Amino acid sequence: MHTISTFGELLNAATSQYLIYDMGRRVQSIDVMAFRQIEALTAPYPYPIQGHACFALVFWERPTAPFIWFLKLPLDEQGLLNPAGRSQFIEMLLEAMGTDLKKELTEAQQQQLASHPFSFRPSQEKLALFNALVRRQLGQPASAQYEYACQYLSGNDAAQHWQAVGLQGLADVCARAEQLEHPKLLAEALGSSAVEVRIALCQLLEHVTISKELAAKISAYLPNQEATVQSYYLRALASQPDSCATAIETSVKEEAWLSRDMLLAIAARCWMVLKQEQCRKIFLESLARQPLDFFITIFADIVAIPAIRTVLLGELRNPERSVQLSTAIGGLFRNTQR
């Protein structure tokens, strides 16, 4: 039997159909062909986070009962997949499944794989949105919580009854953000619902592509939110970099520099806005006003993202940077040389 060395080879041998979702920065689909290049070590992982690729493999013979693995594998300095962890996981799978790659794993075997050192569990918000997206992609119905979530967001139940709204129901709405009356429901809810619901919606919307109209509503709401809530609204704009840029520029007019929470929101979810020169300048100058350890940690994390790596490295040589940013960059270099 041919030695199986990649997930693609394993799943193809099992005649399984499969999907891949990034679970590190935003819950978003990764094209199967692109994933094959990642596995072949000919392309870097597109959404690295803290030196790792965090992703979900969804595979099935019957779409009504898919299997799911959540994996966290280390990346090298070029952002390429480190094959050692993948090989170890595949070896465990083959040992559990024997030569019959179509055999369903027992509960004990699945528990053993779940305790693998390269397995991880995403946050509740990511899990809920992931479940909603996968169910939709596989043509399955939304969860039992979906109907009441729609009812609550439509204002047909008192705002103080927010605790009865399930996170999975809200995720089902957000996964269908462009359908039916959902854009209107979401726009109104983000302006008037209980703060707990508004935060949850933002945490879910940051993973999906929202319309420009909904993004405009969120941008308009953002300045009127409490300081502790504003970063959630910014994260909800992750799929619309232009609206995100407007929100960032409005924020610095009010406060001069971006807060720590806003910086984290950009680095974790809204990194594509850093392709825009003005936003990149605002972000880096604000970041330089944070403690040096924070600057180094955040910069090292986002400079690994292939889509923005070149422009960020270019800023290290920008002669127009402030003295404070120059000092922070100097600290970054000294830390790298240790």
Side-chain angles (χ1 to χ4, degrees), residues 202-248:
C202 288
Q203 289 177 306
L204 296 165
L205 288 173
E206 66 190 39
H207 300 294
V208 300
T209 300
I210 63 174
S211 67
K212 291 183 178 179
E213 292 75 18
L214 180 55
K217 286 280 189 180
I218 295 173
S219 296
Y221 291 145
L222 190 153
N224 301 320
Q225 305 303 311
E226 296 180 10
T228 55
V229 178
Q230 288 185 357
S231 62
Y232 292 104
Y233 275 68
L234 181 63
R235 287 158 62 128
L237 296 171
S239 65
Q240 292 290 349
D242 288 342
S243 295
C244 189
T246 300
I248 290 171

Side-chain angles (χ1 to χ4, degrees), residues 129-206:
L129 200 281
F130 168 77
N131 181 60
L133 289 174
V134 170
R135 290 176 70 91
R136 180 181 175 184
Q137 190 161 356
L138 296 183
Q140 298 175 3
S143 74
Q145 300 176 14
Y146 172 60
E147 185 175 347
Y148 181 71
C150 290
Q151 181 180 334
Y152 177 87
L153 295 179
S154 66
N156 291 333
D157 207 346
Q160 64 266 28
H161 293 165
W162 64 268
Q163 290 179 314
V165 185
L167 181 63
Q168 187 59 61
L170 294 178
D172 289 323
V173 174
C174 292
R176 297 161 177 78
E178 81 290 357
Q179 292 184 349
L180 307 172
E181 293 294 310
H182 294 170
K184 181 181 178 182
L185 293 181
L186 289 167
E188 293 179 354
L190 286 165
S192 60
S193 292
V195 65
E196 293 85 357
V197 173
R198 288 186 278 123
I199 288 174
L201 287 174
C202 288
Q203 289 177 306
L204 296 165
L205 288 173
E206 66 190 39

Side-chain angles (χ1 to χ4, degrees), residues 21 48 52 60 104 236:
Y21 280 83
H52 287 78
W60 68 92
E104 292 190 11

